[in-house]
Amino acid sequence: MFVFFVCPTFADGLIVDEDFIVSNYPESVFSPGLIFSRTMDKNSLRVLYHHKNVSDIPLYIVVLAQNLSSVNGSVSVYKGLGGSSEDVVFAGHKAAKEFMTHLNNDPEIISLNSLSSTQIFVHKIKPNQTSSGLFRIQKNINTPVNIKMMMVDLSHPQLSGFWDVSDILSQFRVANFTESYRKKDIVFNCKDSISLVEVGGRPYIQDPILKYELKGNYGLMYDLNYTLHNAYDSTKVVQFFFSPKVLGAVDRAVFLIDGDIKDVSTLSYKGRKVMMELFHEVSLNAYETKDVRLVTFPQSGCYYPIDVIVKTGETVL
């Protein structure tokens, strides 16, 4: 019999209190090995990875969940996989969109037999291509579960046979973060000229052991809660724009807006030209107030931070 418990959540199921791991160092990989092995401290673990295969053979990212208890259990899995692809922006964006879409729906439930390991998924990286991914694993039973992520050469699995052996020369270095979610409340009045909220900027999340700052805050969930107020005696429209803010940047984004997925195309900041894209509009009647909730996160393969810009648009007739 399974004993289920409720994780700390908010309205649409996003988890606030979870551990967060980023695997992007080195970005270019060339051989098999253990990326990390970790017994879950909290009820939920989220992992972002982004790796390029610089070898001449296919490599595979393999994720396993090991039930350390003598009681059968299960885990809930949300995931988004991008690539493999030669386009790093596309790989990161596909992973982000798939993950956000899955997060907006029911998770995949994977059974874990007692004292055994179960494969969660396998993700291929072709030579000279990049694979990007984001996944969340939630325990559905209050027993210890260990998560292992490794890079494997399936044609020579024996080369990965010692991935449980600790090696200070291992090519993989993952960063562990206690902060995985950041909430911000914003009030915007139609009489205001403009509102800018930076996503991916300071303060950067930090690995407390390595003292490593993740510039760009890639994978950090931003929960932006807007209160929009129309102080005019006529109908107004409030417009939401996405814009890069770092010179040389090429960026994309996915927003979950009040339960709907909004996709932002590729935008750049080159020379004096900064591209912007209108991705959402809200109509307000005279003196009306509305709440709008945007959830997003900085995507792998892009160059964050970016700005979410809110302004009053043309009057709706």
Side-chain angles (χ1 to χ4, degrees):
M1 181 179 69
F2 295 156
V3 179
F4 292 90
F5 58 90
V6 179
C7 298
T9 65
F10 47 97
D12 55 12
L14 299 177
I15 304 278
V16 176
D17 187 23
E18 65 183 355
D19 287 321
F20 180 40
I21 292 177
V22 173
S23 177
N24 187 40
Y25 182 78
E27 182 175 340
S28 297
V29 296
F30 55 87
S31 64
L34 176 68
I35 298 176
F36 72 84
S37 176
R38 175 167 180 168
T39 299
M40 294 175 63
D41 296 323
K42 299 179 180 179
N43 294 328
S44 179
L45 171 68
R46 185 155 50 90
V47 179
L48 178 145
Y49 62 87
H50 187 78
H51 291 292
K52 179 178 181 179
N53 179 7
V54 294
S55 73
D56 58 359
I57 59 170
L59 293 173
Y60 296 80
I61 292 173
V62 179
V63 176
L64 304 175
Q66 183 181 17
N67 184 354
L68 303 177
S69 167
S70 58
V71 179
N72 290 341
S74 69
V75 290
S76 297
V77 178
Y78 300 87
K79 68 178 185 292
L81 309 182
S84 65
S85 173
E86 296 178 355
D87 186 337
V88 297
V89 176
F90 170 80
H93 181 70
K94 186 172 186 294
K97 187 173 182 180
E98 281 193 1
F99 179 76
M100 197 71 88
T101 301
H102 199 178
L103 200 65
N104 203 29
N105 292 281
D106 294 332
E108 178 184 2
I109 306 298
I110 298 180
S111 298
L112 302 180
N113 293 328
S114 62
L115 302 174
S116 63
S117 295
T118 301
Q119 180 176 289
I120 302 299
F121 67 86
V122 177
H123 192 182
K124 184 178 182 179
I125 316 179
K126 297 178 181 179
N128 296 312
Q129 293 191 8
T130 295
S131 284
S132 189
L134 187 66
F135 65 91
R136 165 183 284 151
I137 297 177
Q138 295 171 223
K139 293 193 297 180
N140 293 330
I141 189 169
N142 194 16
T143 58
V145 174
N146 189 73
I147 305 300
K148 294 179 180 177
M149 179 173 166
M150 47 192 168
M151 193 75 66
V152 176
D153 174 7
L154 293 184
S155 63
H156 297 90
Q158 68 276 13
L159 297 180
S160 303
F162 298 101
W163 51 265
D164 264 334
V165 178
S166 179
D167 181 4
I168 62 173
L169 300 179
S170 171
Q171 65 177 315
F172 298 104
R173 295 287 185 274
V174 299
N176 297 268
F177 304 101
T178 56
E179 184 184 7
S180 62
Y181 161 87
R182 190 171 290 175
K183 182 178 180 180
K184 187 174 180 64
D185 295 320
I186 308 103
V187 176
F188 179 79
N189 192 308
C190 289
K191 288 187 175 181
D192 299 334
S193 57
I194 196 168
S195 168
L196 281 80
V197 174
E198 187 178 62
V199 172
R202 296 180 183 276
Y204 300 128
I205 56 176
Q206 185 178 87
D207 183 310
I209 304 242
L210 300 178
K211 304 301 181 184
Y212 165 74
E213 285 188 329
L214 182 61
K215 294 182 179 179
N217 287 339
Y218 295 96
L220 177 68
M221 284 286 183
Y222 284 79
D223 187 11
L224 308 180
N225 293 270
Y226 287 86
T227 298
L228 309 177
H229 178 64
N230 181 10
Y232 291 100
D233 60 0
S234 59
T235 301
K236 297 292 181 181
V237 61
V238 177
Q239 299 177 318
F240 290 77
F241 293 86
F242 172 93
S243 179
K245 67 178 303 177
V246 179
L247 184 62
V250 177
D251 292 318
R252 295 198 69 175
V254 175
F255 291 90
L256 180 59
I257 306 177
D258 294 330
D260 294 326
I261 298 292
K262 294 290 182 74
D263 198 8
V264 177
S265 57
T266 303
L267 304 177
S268 63
Y269 180 178
K270 297 180 179 179
R272 297 182 179 180
K273 184 178 180 180
V274 184
M275 300 176 69
M276 298 174 57
E277 181 172 321
L278 172 65
F279 65 89
H280 188 58
E281 289 184 314
V282 177
S283 177
L284 297 176
N285 294 326
Y287 308 116
E288 184 180 14
T289 297
K290 285 184 179 179
D291 294 326
V292 177
R293 185 183 185 202
L294 277 65
V295 178
T296 190
F297 59 86
Q299 301 181 9
S300 298
C302 296
Y303 196 175
Y304 276 67
I306 58 90
D307 280 328
V308 175
I309 303 169
V310 175
K311 62 183 288 291
T312 304
E314 298 296 326
T315 301
V316 177
L317 298 179

